[in-house]
């Protein structure tokens, strides 16, 4: 019976590996489809000029249209309307871009193909994570390899959840799929660990609670970080236009298709603010687990310290967003620093720092 169970577990582990590699292949196809979406969605010079005119007109609270009429043999001939705008000083009301597809049919087709492939890859990867869990008969995040595969699965699931909720965030598809491929590449190349049982300190129901919430928080923080980074690029682009600058053709082609800086800033803020309470719960749950496992709730272990630093970083970001003079770019920098702390807490602490959380290895 034990031999049969062992053989079954090994088969499930092999199936998990096969599914993870298969998902990487499908994610690669989705990556190229997203590239095609951006390439074929690149608008012509005429389209960019029209977008620039629309953007200029949108900054004016009121506009007057002047029409001249010429009489030619009793027939009225209208000149082209001349738009006279009245600018509002100190304001910048820029409309959202048309998205990665650029409003083109071909770009939209490739974008839909990319999303469909991402859904397929997500389903395959999720099946790989479940197979890993069945092979070890525990939560599939007992080491860095399992954490990485689960993390990328949850990140893609969160992205698809936004799409199902009718949120127009398909522009995040390309950076997301790129990151997922890098994450899975590192997991299968450097972090690969044979499936095994947990050490006694990890063998607790708190593994399901504490680590699962940490994975979910990290995945959503990642989406917020991408939105924040794109906000900085888009804000610089809008500032350059507002001051009479002339962005390059690549910037015009790519950045003008993103949502406005204001929309990206609002999106990132809402995402980070929504998941921050859950990150607070993650730290509290970890402290309770530490009390059960080690007899103390807090011991200033490296993982505990950097989890707290991450919490402080996001708390500072949320405070900065509500403070005059710190909104916008300054707050965005804090958000990116906070996410960098989260990444170091995972990769840096686990790989380079010796702590009580090092028992799981890589």
């Amino acid at each position: 019976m034990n031999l049969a169970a062992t053989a079954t577990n090994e088969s499930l582990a092999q199936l998990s590996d096969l599914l993870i590699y298969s998902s990487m292949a499908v994610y690669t196809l989705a990556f190229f489809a997203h590239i095609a979406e951006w390439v074929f969605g690149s608008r012509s010079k005429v389209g960019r000029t029209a977008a620039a005119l629309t953007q200029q007109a949108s900054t004016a609270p009121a506009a007057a249209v002047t029409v001249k009429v010429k009489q030619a043999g009793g027939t009225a001939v209208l000149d082209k309307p001349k738009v006279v705008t009245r600018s509002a000083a100190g304001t910048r009301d820029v409309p959202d871009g048309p998205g990665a597809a650029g409003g083109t049919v071909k770009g939209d087709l490739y974008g839909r193909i990319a999303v469909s492939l991402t859904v397929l890859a997500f389903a395959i990867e999720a099946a790989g994570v479940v197979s890993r869990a069945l092979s070890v008969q525990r939560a599939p995040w007992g080491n860095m390899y399992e954490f990485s595969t689960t993390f990328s699965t949850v990140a893609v699931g969160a992205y698809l959840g936004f799409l199902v909720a009718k949120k127009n965030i398909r522009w995040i598809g390309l950076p997301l799929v790129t990151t997922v491929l890098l994450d899975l590449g590192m997991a299968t190349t450097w972090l690969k660990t044979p499936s095994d049982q947990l050490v006694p300190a990890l063998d607790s129901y708190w593994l399901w609670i504490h680590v699962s919430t940490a994975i979910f928080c990290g995945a959503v923080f990642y989406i917020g970080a991408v939105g924040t980074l794109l906000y900085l690029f888009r804000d610089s682009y809008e500032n350059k236009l507002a001051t009479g600058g002339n962005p390059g053709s690549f910037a015009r082609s790519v950045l003008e298709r993103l949502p406005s800086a204001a929309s990206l800033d609002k999106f990132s803020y809402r995402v980070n603010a929504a998941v921050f309470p859950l990150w607070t719960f993650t730290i509290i749950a970890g402290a309770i687990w530490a009390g059960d496992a080690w007899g103390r709730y807090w011991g200033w272990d490296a993982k505990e310290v950097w989890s707290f630093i991450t919490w402080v970083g996001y708390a500072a970001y949320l405070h900065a967003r509500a403070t005059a003079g710190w909104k916008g770019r300054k707050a965005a920098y804090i958000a990116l620093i906070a996410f960098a702390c989260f990444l170091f807490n995972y990769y840096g602490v686990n790989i380079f720092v010796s702590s009580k959380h090092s028992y799981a290895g890589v």
Side-chain angles (χ1 to χ4, degrees):
M1 182 65 179
N2 290 335
L3 291 177
T6 301
T8 300
N9 292 341
E10 290 179 354
S11 298
L12 287 171
Q14 293 174 357
L15 175 62
S16 174
D17 293 341
L18 177 61
L19 289 171
I20 294 299
Y21 284 115
S22 299
S23 71
M24 292 176 66
V26 181
Y27 277 128
T28 301
L29 295 177
F31 170 79
F32 286 115
H34 274 299
I35 290 290
E37 177 187 17
W38 281 93
V39 170
F40 288 104
S42 180
R43 293 180 294 170
S44 64
K45 183 178 179 180
V46 174
R48 292 197 300 269
T49 303
L53 291 175
T54 302
Q55 178 173 297
Q56 292 173 5
S58 69
T59 61
V65 178
T66 304
V67 180
K68 295 182 180 179
V69 181
K70 295 181 179 178
Q71 296 293 335
T75 303
V77 179
L78 299 180
D79 281 342
K80 293 181 180 179
K82 181 184 297 184
V83 179
V84 181
T85 61
R86 300 183 180 90
S87 61
T91 62
R92 190 176 72 192
D93 184 16
V94 181
D96 291 338
T104 63
V105 175
K106 184 174 288 188
D108 183 66
L109 173 63
Y110 280 105
R112 291 176 182 274
I113 292 174
V115 172
S116 299
L117 289 170
T118 302
V119 171
L120 176 60
F122 165 76
I124 296 173
E125 186 182 12
V129 171
V130 172
S131 298
R132 179 80 172 196
L134 294 175
S135 71
V136 293
Q137 299 179 357
R138 57 167 173 78
W141 42 74
N143 51 59
M144 289 184 67
Y145 169 76
E146 295 173 354
F147 189 101
S148 295
T149 54
T150 306
F151 175 83
S152 59
T153 304
V154 175
V156 175
Y159 163 71
L160 296 177
F162 278 112
L163 293 181
V164 170
K166 305 299 182 182
K167 302 299 182 182
N168 185 21
I169 65 164
R170 205 164 78 186
W171 42 268
I172 208 174
L174 180 57
L176 172 68
V177 171
T178 303
T179 305
V180 167
L181 284 172
L182 291 173
D183 176 68
L184 292 179
M186 291 178 59
T188 55
T189 304
W190 297 316
L191 306 177
K192 187 66 179 295
T193 304
S195 57
D196 199 0
Q197 295 304 312
L198 298 173
V199 296
L202 281 179
D203 192 9
S204 168
Y205 62 89
W206 282 105
L207 178 68
W208 290 92
I209 301 172
H210 171 64
V211 183
S212 63
T213 54
I215 292 173
F216 179 79
C217 289
V220 179
F221 279 147
Y222 164 78
I223 292 178
V226 173
T228 301
L229 187 62
L230 293 179
Y231 155 75
L232 291 174
F233 284 115
R234 173 76 188 201
D235 185 62
S236 297
Y237 173 75
E238 292 179 6
N239 284 335
K240 195 167 189 177
L241 288 177
T243 55
N246 185 27
S249 58
F250 178 80
R252 285 187 176 276
S253 175
V254 174
L255 296 179
E256 73 180 6
R257 282 183 274 167
L258 293 175
S260 67
S263 295
L264 288 169
D265 184 44
K266 184 184 298 183
F267 169 77
S268 302
Y269 169 69
R270 289 179 174 177
V271 167
N272 289 327
V275 80
F276 179 72
L278 189 59
W279 180 250
T280 305
F281 169 78
T282 301
I283 296 177
I284 295 173
I288 296 174
W289 187 11
D292 291 341
W294 301 319
R296 89 306 186 265
Y297 294 103
W298 192 266
W300 297 104
D301 183 69
K303 181 74 72 172
E304 297 168 347
V305 170
W306 279 96
S307 295
F308 180 67
I309 291 174
T310 302
W311 184 90
V312 171
Y314 278 106
Y317 163 72
L318 296 177
H319 179 71
R321 283 290 272 98
T323 304
W326 280 87
K327 295 180 180 180
R329 298 184 69 87
K330 290 182 179 179
Y333 293 138
I334 297 176
L336 292 180
I337 292 173
F339 184 69
C341 291
F342 174 86
L343 290 180
F344 180 79
N345 186 32
Y346 174 55
Y347 288 105
V349 171
N350 283 32
I351 295 175
F352 302 112
V353 180
S354 211
S355 70
K356 281 184 173 293
H357 291 77
S358 301
Y359 40 60
V362 297

